[in-house]
Amino acid sequence: MLRDLQELEQAGFPLYSEVGAAGGYHILKECILPPIAFSENEAKAVFFACQWK
């Protein structure tokens, strides 16, 4: 898990942690993330995954 968090931070995602029962790791809400460039097949996969229940 720590390796994954480190990779996210290196990719430019500003993370912070909170302690307690509802705690965990979060991305700053004010952060503007870089655009994601999906291929056509990747975009279709995301679309159909969101439609599936």
Side-chain angles (χ1 to χ4, degrees):
M1 181 178 95
L2 294 176
R3 182 188 69 225
D4 293 338
L5 291 171
Q6 184 179 19
E7 287 188 32
L8 286 170
E9 286 183 319
Q10 289 174 351
F13 294 90
L15 302 175
Y16 70 97
S17 63
E18 292 184 3
V19 296
Y25 291 91
H26 308 277
I27 297 175
L28 288 174
K29 292 179 182 175
E30 298 83 24
C31 172
I32 298 174
L33 300 176
I36 300 173
F38 290 117
S39 70
E40 183 178 346
N41 287 338
E42 291 170 331
K44 287 178 184 177
V46 170
F47 173 78
F48 288 115
C50 290
Q51 301 300 315
W52 185 65
K53 292 184 183 182

